[in-house]
Amino acid sequence: MTLNRNDHCWCGSNKKYKQCHLQFDEKIAHHQRNGAEVPPREIIKTPAQIEGIKASAKINTAVLDLVAKNIKAGMSTAEIDKLVHDFTVSQGAIPAPLNYQGFPKSCCTSINDEICHGIPSEDVILKDGDIINVDVSTILNGYFSDASRMFKIGAVHPELDKLVNVAKECLDCGLKAAKPWGFMGDIAEAVQKHAESNGYSVVREFGGHGIGLQFHEDPFVSHVGKAGTGMLLVPGMTFTIEPMINMGAPDLFIDADNDWTALTADGYPSAQWEYTILITEDGAEILTY
């Protein structure tokens, strides 16, 4: 749709286009003429949509805070799932993973050499020395948010402790590199360099993703790449950064018994942290963590 200067802006502000997003759109068009991959308008969120996503994100963070207060050795991953489900529903929200493409639970619980998409089970009991990623996603009034944290159960081996800490540092390196009018590749290079400088590898098959109006939107957010490449980052984009960092090689396989859980091919541990972020006029804002 082509807007005239005096038409109402596409963002729903009720301002004239020339007073709102005209210069913004012209800047994107300039980058596109210079060969950049630019985001389609439908993944650039309006102020009203951003407020809806933030409300969902507030609940999502509260869910992970609840898990942090309760997780312990001797607990089953099914108990974690029940905590997540019951609290989410009590807030008038919906756990996004539940029944998503057939996923049977309300969160993902990935332990030790499980990279992601671990399915909670009464048969999986946390024990002292485990590391676990709990990945939580929330729908509130049609708006989506997504984040995950690592938890160390009891006293963990120093090498596992370092892996978990470096994985968090990788996430924060990616966040620091996420700037308006930069590129997706800036995030990828920052994550990859930090991981590899610590002797670790980065999973390539999975990455972050756009989120907000759907669970998974464009763009794909790779954590391996080169600065200055990939999609242009512009204010109003919402997406996850969620690097999966392996102690050994980056190779993985999917558990044939459930067709969901990804595990390291060499059996070495993996760690992951995840934010949903919003690109702003002057940087990036964490919406849920």
Side-chain angles (χ1 to χ4, degrees):
M1 180 179 66
T2 301
L3 291 178
N4 294 317
R5 293 171 58 84
N6 291 315
D7 289 341
H8 282 162
C9 187
W10 55 263
C11 75
S13 66
N14 288 323
K15 294 179 181 179
K16 291 181 178 180
Y17 183 44
K18 65 183 180 183
Q19 297 169 334
C20 197
H21 273 88
L22 175 59
Q23 288 186 334
F24 174 89
D25 287 345
E26 288 177 340
K27 192 168 185 178
I28 291 176
H30 171 76
H31 281 278
Q32 188 172 34
R33 287 192 297 271
N34 287 337
E37 178 188 358
V38 302
R41 184 177 291 173
E42 58 265 25
I43 69 170
I44 301 171
K45 307 304 190 293
T46 69
Q49 290 168 340
I50 290 168
E51 289 309 306
I53 296 165
K54 286 184 175 181
S56 172
K58 185 176 180 180
I59 294 172
N60 201 74
T61 297
V63 174
L64 282 168
D65 287 344
L66 181 66
V67 172
K69 289 178 183 176
N70 288 276
I71 196 167
K72 62 183 184 296
M75 187 180 204
S76 73
T77 53
E79 290 177 80
I80 297 171
D81 186 71
K82 189 175 189 305
L83 273 178
V84 169
H85 180 274
D86 290 353
F87 181 82
T88 303
V89 172
S90 78
Q91 301 302 302
I94 300 167
L98 186 60
N99 299 320
Y100 175 76
Q101 296 185 352
F103 191 82
K105 298 293 182 177
S106 294
C107 66
C108 299
T109 51
S110 306
I111 301 177
N112 299 331
D113 63 337
E114 295 176 343
I115 296 170
C116 61
H117 302 157
I119 300 176
S121 169
E122 292 182 0
D123 298 327
V124 178
I125 308 299
L126 297 180
K127 62 183 185 298
D128 193 69
D130 283 340
I131 59 172
I132 179 173
N133 175 271
V134 180
D135 193 342
V136 171
S137 311
T138 301
I139 312 169
L140 180 68
N141 300 324
Y143 293 103
F144 292 76
S145 55
D146 188 9
S148 78
R149 299 181 197 172
M150 292 297 299
F151 298 99
K152 305 168 190 175
I153 307 303
V156 304
H157 191 282
E159 289 186 4
L160 289 179
D161 186 68
K162 180 185 175 184
L163 175 67
V164 170
N165 293 340
V166 170
K168 178 61 163 57
E169 291 167 5
C170 286
L171 174 60
D172 288 328
C173 286
L175 174 71
K176 187 176 180 180
K179 297 178 180 178
W181 313 111
F183 295 89
M184 278 293 177
D186 303 346
I187 298 171
E189 181 175 291
V191 170
Q192 184 179 5
K193 278 188 172 180
H194 191 70
E196 292 179 353
S197 70
N198 281 278
Y200 301 140
S201 64
V202 184
V203 170
R204 287 154 168 76
E205 288 89 342
F206 297 104
H209 52 89
I211 190 168
L213 307 184
Q214 299 179 54
F215 196 171
H216 293 92
E217 304 171 356
D218 287 335
F220 176 74
V221 182
S222 177
H223 303 110
V224 175
K226 183 178 180 181
T229 66
M231 184 177 285
L232 183 72
L233 302 177
V234 306
M237 292 176 68
T238 53
F239 55 86
T240 70
I241 306 175
E242 47 180 303
M244 303 169 199
I245 308 302
N246 290 356
M247 185 179 287
D251 309 279
L252 59 83
F253 70 96
I254 305 299
D255 187 340
D257 290 336
N258 62 38
D259 289 327
W260 275 104
T261 307
L263 299 99
T264 60
D266 56 17
Y268 282 94
S270 183
Q272 177 199 18
W273 299 76
E274 175 183 12
Y275 298 146
T276 292
I277 71 165
L278 165 70
I279 299 297
T280 66
E281 296 290 341
D282 54 6
E285 177 183 353
I286 301 172
L287 301 186
T288 179
Y289 56 90

